[in-house]
Amino acid sequence: ASLVLAAGLLAAAPVRAELVLSDLIVELQPGKQVRRDVEIWNNSPERAYIAVLPREILNAGLTNQSAREDPDPEKLGLLVTPQRMILEPGQRKLVRTGTLSARETQEHVYRVMVKPVVAGVKSDDPGLKIVVGYDVLVLVRPAQSSPNVTASRSGRQLTFKDAGNVSVEIVDGRQCRLPTQCTDLPGKRLYPDASWSVDLPADLPAEFTLKSPGRTD
């Protein structure tokens, strides 16, 4: 997902640093895929100063969701390097993410903010500079993934519950009156212990695709 940041004042007209990332979702698993590289590309005519800021998302998808930061990768459970870089116009570099967790039984959720840092801004400069950063989702899967999603329906309300130990993507939802008359339904990433309800447009069967580690139903 992208995040728009009002970064400060600039003398010239509004300018946007254009960053391109190879991945916005990274999946890691102890013993299998313990590290992944994300390529960052500066697609602008300006030099870009980049900050990379990892944080763990606790109780993801629940009402008491919170974020935890720690400068010590061992305590955070995730190594992200480098956390600062300079990209010349057109230059590409890699950011490596690696799990430091052992054989976990539950999924760990992280967000890694990749954002340009505005340098040389003066407080009396007119105009507003807008920069765009990206919040990369990093999922550290447990050693043994056990997806378990249940669904219940009351009238036109369909409720999903994730009772497993990994998050699941609920996608490609639709409700059809005829094979050629279908209404698309919204999707959702559902985290462990979280639930999600969707209001259906009609009193008809609905179908969704569930994507979990190693399988699609």
Side-chain angles (χ1 to χ4, degrees), residues 1 3 24 26 53-70 75-78 80 101 104 106-113 134-141 165-167 188-194:
L3 179 66
L24 293 179
V26 172
L53 309 172
R55 65 196 186 280
E56 184 178 12
I57 306 301
L58 306 175
N59 302 310
L62 303 179
T63 55
N64 60 338
Q65 175 177 304
S66 62
R68 180 178 73 92
E69 299 180 8
D70 198 306
K75 294 180 180 179
L76 189 65
L78 186 74
V80 179
S101 302
E104 298 288 348
Q106 282 288 124
E107 180 178 272
H108 285 256
V109 181
Y110 296 88
R111 288 282 184 177
V112 178
M113 172 64 72
Y134 295 90
D135 221 8
V136 179
L137 175 63
V138 179
L139 301 171
V140 178
R141 303 292 197 180
N165 67 349
V166 291
S167 60
K188 178 81 170 179
R189 177 179 291 276
L190 197 60
Y191 293 96
D193 298 324

Side-chain angles (χ1 to χ4, degrees), residues 15-214:
V15 178
R16 184 165 62 98
E18 298 180 10
L19 291 182
V20 179
L21 273 63
S22 61
D23 297 283
L24 293 179
I25 300 177
V26 172
E27 294 190 24
L28 304 173
Q29 187 169 12
K32 294 182 180 180
Q33 180 79 40
V34 296
R35 56 184 170 272
R36 275 270 302 276
D37 292 335
V38 175
E39 186 179 52
I40 303 176
W41 175 28
N42 179 12
N43 192 30
S44 80
E46 300 179 335
R47 174 183 293 171
Y49 299 85
I50 308 300
V52 183
L53 309 172
R55 65 196 186 280
E56 184 178 12
I57 306 301
L58 306 175
N59 302 310
L62 303 179
T63 55
N64 60 338
Q65 175 177 304
S66 62
R68 180 178 73 92
E69 299 180 8
D70 198 306
D72 186 345
E74 291 285 349
K75 294 180 180 179
L76 189 65
L78 186 74
L79 176 65
V80 179
T81 183
Q83 293 194 8
R84 291 189 178 275
M85 66 173 64
I86 299 175
L87 288 174
E88 299 296 339
Q91 188 176 15
R92 301 169 186 254
K93 288 187 178 180
L94 298 177
V95 170
R96 170 158 293 184
T97 59
T99 175
L100 300 178
S101 302
R103 296 179 63 85
E104 298 288 348
T105 58
Q106 282 288 124
E107 180 178 272
H108 285 256
V109 181
Y110 296 88
R111 288 282 184 177
V112 178
M113 172 64 72
V114 180
K115 65 176 183 179
V117 177
V118 179
V121 174
K122 298 180 181 179
S123 60
D124 57 350
D125 285 338
L128 179 68
K129 180 165 184 173
I130 303 298
V131 296
V132 176
Y134 295 90
D135 221 8
V136 179
L137 175 63
V138 179
L139 301 171
V140 178
R141 303 292 197 180
Q144 296 293 328
S145 295
S146 300
N148 181 15
V149 176
T150 60
S152 60
R153 181 168 174 172
S154 177
R156 292 188 178 182
Q157 186 175 77
L158 180 61
T159 300
F160 295 93
K161 169 73 175 179
D162 188 341
N165 67 349
V166 291
S167 60
V168 173
E169 287 185 272
I170 304 173
V171 297
D172 300 332
R174 63 177 188 167
Q175 197 174 48
C176 300
R177 295 184 181 276
L178 296 171
T180 57
Q181 295 181 6
C182 296
T183 300
D184 292 335
L185 301 173
K188 178 81 170 179
R189 177 179 291 276
L190 197 60
Y191 293 96
D193 298 324
S195 59
W196 173 63
S197 295
V198 56
D199 292 325
L200 304 175
D203 297 317
L204 295 169
E207 60 182 53
F208 289 83
T209 298
L210 302 184
K211 293 184 177 180
S212 58

